[in-house]
Amino acid sequence: MADDVWILGIHMTKFGKHPDLDTVDLAAEAAMGALKDGGVTMKDMGVLAAGNLMAANAGIGQQLQKQIGQTGIPVFNVANACATGATALRTAIMAVKAGEADYGLAVGVEKLSGAGLLGGGGSPKKDGNVYEPKGRYGSVVPTDGRIGTDTMPGTFAQIGMEYGHKYGGTSFELFARISEKNHAHSTLNPLAAYSKRFTLEEIMGDIMIAYPNTRPMCSANCDGAAAAVVVSDAKLKTLDPDQRRRAVKVSASILTSDPWQDQCQILPDVNTLTKMAADQAYAQSGVSPEDLDLVELHDCFATAELVHYDNLRLCAEGEAVPFFESGATWRDGATPVNVSGGLESKGHPIAATGIANIWEVCHHLRGEAGDRQIEGAKVGLAHVIGLGSACGVHILEKAATN
Amino acid sequence: MAEQVPLVNYLVLGEDPHLVAQECTSCGAKFFDRRNACASCSATEFKPFDVPTSGELKAFTIVSMAAPGVPVPFVAGIIDCDGTPVRGNVINTEPDPDHVTLGMKVKLATFVVGTDENGTEAVGFGFEPIDSTKAEASNG
């Protein structure tokens, strides 16, 4: 198709602790790496989309331009919770697809080392001296912990437990075994924040955060950045054979928000919008779930990975437990999931995640994934979800000319 | 008796404590806060709806790590109150997976959360297991 968009260059920093680098340094490292990987420079870029969730009002896009090149191009600073990186990429792709730019740059960066609990977990809770109704629910004291939980581990624990209640077959051990898989996968990923393999006993015996999620079953807060250069089909045709050979086709780029569901004001619904995004992505690309050689999905908690097997149509409805138990999602299985180690082990620098998962898929499609290469990978899917909610799904295919 | 105020404005105290939702008169969607238009169907008329006080626990977590000042562990859950999903804690039972199970029957219960410097009590709500033996006794 004439309006295909391609990933020309892509890069991610090492995920982990970077005490000597700030968000601008990390974003610059990722952006420069992506430009170099694509064989282009900032002078070629027609649009920049950038995200840094924890400082969403700081204008990371313009900060980055001052670090690597102020060319006057339009900048879209985006924020969409944990889907911020995918939103930046989607924005750059839309600009190229609309014909407004030949090249676009998307960047996501986060400094999250030592951030602790996210969601309701950040600030201390204290009751006032005199009870006065406040806010949308007229509450006289803080409600977190008194009417349910605002914490992310607790929220996603309930999402996994709800699936278990609906379809059966889940247990603390089952969720822990999903985490065991991702920690095992990360041992082959030199850019992962954590690359230590854990035994099932170690995972289940670790500190309980929100049952059934223990600490290693939660996404790892860390620092990191990722960036991608996208290019129009017409422009790509004018580039060198080596650039064309390594270009990865964006067969689908989808972003959805959560439609009304009865329960969505009580517990965020991460299922419906993911199913919508997946269905739209398969329709747009003509790819079916069975065609996928690898999937990077949003395992912000072990309990979340399970429901997304179902949401992304990797298995029949309600069959996520037997699907996992078949071994399908291990790296030697039928549908390898999170061979990077996922958010639980590679790490989750929020705004970087939605581009880092694209980097992982591209690496395999290019045959450049080293020790963890999925042999012969031709098509892959990357998924993120940001609570609130936003869901990004991208389907990527190896260049046909290769 | 000390003056009492509800923890949130959708909790009604008195002899028969219960929750009140705002129901869309067009599609029946229920909300615990104010809306300008229905998130489900965009209609703009709402009426109060008394939420049933018993239901089934359809999801839960036992929170062991929370913000400073929030006592742990506690059980947070989603209760299906005869078709209306409600967010609340499971109370008056041990907060462990042996005592809290998916699908268990629960009912609304209130408790004093605290007292302010004027002596006013804040009353919250949670859901406690329905003791089948007790229920039978009261029925008999």
Side-chain angles (χ1 to χ4, degrees), chain A residues 265-401:
Chain A
Q265 60 168 341
I266 301 301
L267 179 68
D269 172 23
V270 303
N271 302 320
T272 311
L273 82 169
T274 299
K275 288 174 180 167
M276 285 167 53
D279 290 345
Q280 289 174 34
Y282 293 128
Q284 191 174 90
S285 62
V287 166
S288 66
E290 306 80 60
D291 299 330
L292 298 171
D293 296 306
L294 74 158
V295 172
E296 288 287 304
L297 64 73
H298 203 70
D299 64 319
C300 49
F301 299 91
T303 45
E305 176 158 329
L306 184 81
V307 303
H308 293 316
Y309 294 156
D310 198 322
N311 293 333
L312 294 171
R313 316 299 194 190
L314 306 183
C315 61
E317 187 182 342
E319 298 289 317
V321 171
F323 178 67
F324 172 72
E325 286 182 334
S326 76
T329 60
W330 281 79
R331 54 171 290 114
D332 58 355
T335 310
V337 172
N338 290 333
V339 296
S340 67
L343 280 59
E344 291 165 70
S345 201
K346 177 178 71 176
H348 184 26
I350 298 174
T353 293
I355 298 176
N357 60 4
I358 303 280
W359 178 89
E360 179 71 22
V361 173
C362 286
H363 234 47
H364 290 270
L365 300 183
R366 287 167 161 182
E368 298 174 359
D371 289 344
R372 70 181 184 288
Q373 176 70 40
I374 298 296
E375 285 306 323
K378 290 188 171 58
V379 55
L381 182 150
H383 157 260
V384 288
I385 190 153
L387 216 57
S389 297
C391 175
V393 169
H394 287 85
I395 291 179
L396 304 159
E397 289 186 86
K398 186 186 181 84
T401 52

